[in-house]
Amino acid sequence: MASSQGVGSVAAEGMGAKPAQEESVIDQKLGATFSLPIAGYSLTESEAALLRDAENLTTEKCMARYEIEYSAGSAISDQDPPADRRYGISSFSEAKKYGYRMPPTPSFEEESVSGEVRALLYGTAVSGKFRGQDVPVNGCAGEGVEKLRVKGRSQRGEQAAGMIARESFIESMESVPVREAMRVWSICMGERGYRYKSPLEAMADQRFLGGEVSATEKRTARADLECKEESRLPDVWFVSEREVQWRMIEENSELLDELQESHDLRLRLARKVLSSPS
């Protein structure tokens, strides 16, 4: 397992020659954010999909009680999700098209239902009734969510996980290896004619916060990424933050265990819903 000192020493090599490229310690499929230890206390994509399927099935059964044939289906995006940006931009293809801007928000297929059916689906009818029958609070879609709600859900655990995700980022940014890698990154940028102390400062450049994406912005973003490769800043930062998170997770283990138990219970409820007879 790489240590922060080991990766940091790579970044601290002289600028006369570009360091030999090494395999990244970050899972490239997950990106830095979801490769960090605290991500283990979030739902995986497959677990989130399981919950959505159970919610959708419950919603469909609720609609059927009112003799409405309804298929919840799935939201389908026609675009790939944007690259992870925990340590600033990370995709050359995005930098080439959008500079520092976020790619366009993915579009989703919208369900097409009548106003009357929508009132049943979301419980928006003023009377609280549908064709003379009482409608669940927040409609049939709300019933789908409520079916998988865990009483006494671990809000403390969620808050602890959120705190760790925020505070580990800030603390690791001030670590010696990260500050040294940022210095190397800044020198690299300076050699290309850009004066920034960190990638976060570059992203916050007022010139890049509005209007059309300029050629200058795209060139800056590309230089940013090239200097990240040269300094190995993302890997240095990731390793430092990973160590901070390990410590924080140990300090908050009881609350995080509660959060994991809450996730496990919701998943058991979802499997029960999906295995129940129609």
Side-chain angles (χ1 to χ4, degrees):
M1 183 175 296
S3 69
S4 58
Q5 180 61 38
V7 178
S9 64
V10 172
E13 291 181 10
M15 296 298 295
K18 186 174 181 178
Q21 289 299 306
E22 298 180 20
E23 184 177 349
S24 175
V25 296
I26 301 171
D27 186 316
Q28 295 306 303
K29 181 179 179 182
L30 297 176
T33 302
F34 293 100
S35 294
L36 286 165
I38 196 62
Y41 293 90
S42 299
L43 295 169
T44 65
E45 286 187 16
S46 61
E47 289 171 340
L50 179 71
L51 291 176
R52 284 197 302 272
D53 288 345
E55 288 178 2
N56 288 344
L57 180 59
T58 302
T59 299
E60 291 168 3
K61 287 182 176 180
C62 173
M63 299 290 278
R65 295 203 306 267
Y66 298 85
E67 299 183 347
I68 296 295
E69 186 175 339
Y70 174 81
S71 176
S74 299
I76 302 173
S77 169
D78 60 4
Q79 293 176 258
D80 292 329
D84 184 75
R85 291 191 172 202
R86 188 167 186 83
Y87 308 133
I89 57 172
S90 61
S91 166
F92 276 97
S93 62
E94 288 184 7
K96 182 178 180 180
K97 292 180 181 178
Y98 312 112
Y100 283 99
R101 320 299 175 89
M102 290 295 293
T105 304
S107 58
F108 296 91
E109 291 184 354
E110 296 253 346
E111 59 194 351
S112 178
V113 295
S114 68
E116 183 185 38
V117 172
R118 185 175 293 275
L120 172 61
L121 186 60
Y122 298 113
T124 55
V126 175
S127 65
K129 294 182 179 295
F130 180 84
R131 297 177 183 174
Q133 299 184 64
D134 291 335
V135 173
V137 176
N138 298 320
C140 285
E143 183 169 294
V145 173
E146 188 64 30
K147 189 84 171 180
L148 302 179
R149 192 181 303 278
V150 176
K151 293 183 179 179
R153 186 176 176 180
S154 178
Q155 290 186 337
R156 296 191 310 161
E158 291 176 347
Q159 291 169 354
M163 178 276 294
I164 290 171
R166 293 189 303 273
E167 296 300 322
S168 64
F169 178 86
I170 296 170
E171 183 175 328
S172 62
M173 183 165 53
E174 295 302 320
S175 69
V176 172
V178 173
R179 290 175 68 177
E180 176 60 19
M182 281 191 182
R183 185 186 70 83
V184 176
W185 177 91
S186 182
I187 292 172
C188 174
M189 290 291 282
E191 291 179 341
R192 288 163 168 77
Y194 305 101
R195 298 288 183 265
Y196 299 109
K197 292 182 180 179
S198 76
L200 303 184
E201 184 178 315
M203 290 181 68
D205 191 317
Q206 291 294 318
R207 297 175 299 165
F208 308 151
L209 299 181
E212 295 294 324
V213 179
S214 66
T216 297
E217 180 177 348
K218 292 177 182 179
R219 286 194 299 269
T220 307
R222 180 174 180 81
D224 181 340
L225 289 167
E226 290 171 348
C227 289
K228 280 192 175 97
E229 286 188 346
E230 189 159 327
S231 64
R232 296 202 46 142
L233 175 56
D235 284 288
V236 174
W237 201 337
F238 173 82
V239 171
S240 291
E241 186 171 13
R242 181 175 61 185
E243 292 181 353
V244 173
Q245 286 198 0
W246 280 335
R247 189 193 76 240
M248 290 182 169
I249 286 171
E250 185 175 356
E251 293 169 351
N252 294 272
S253 60
E254 185 176 336
L255 295 178
L256 293 174
D257 286 345
E258 289 179 10
L259 177 59
Q260 189 60 59
E261 289 172 5
S262 176
H263 286 333
D264 291 343
L265 179 53
R266 291 185 70 209
L267 292 169
R268 287 198 297 273
L269 290 172
R271 294 186 183 99
K272 184 177 180 180
V273 166
L274 293 171
S275 63
S276 298
S278 299

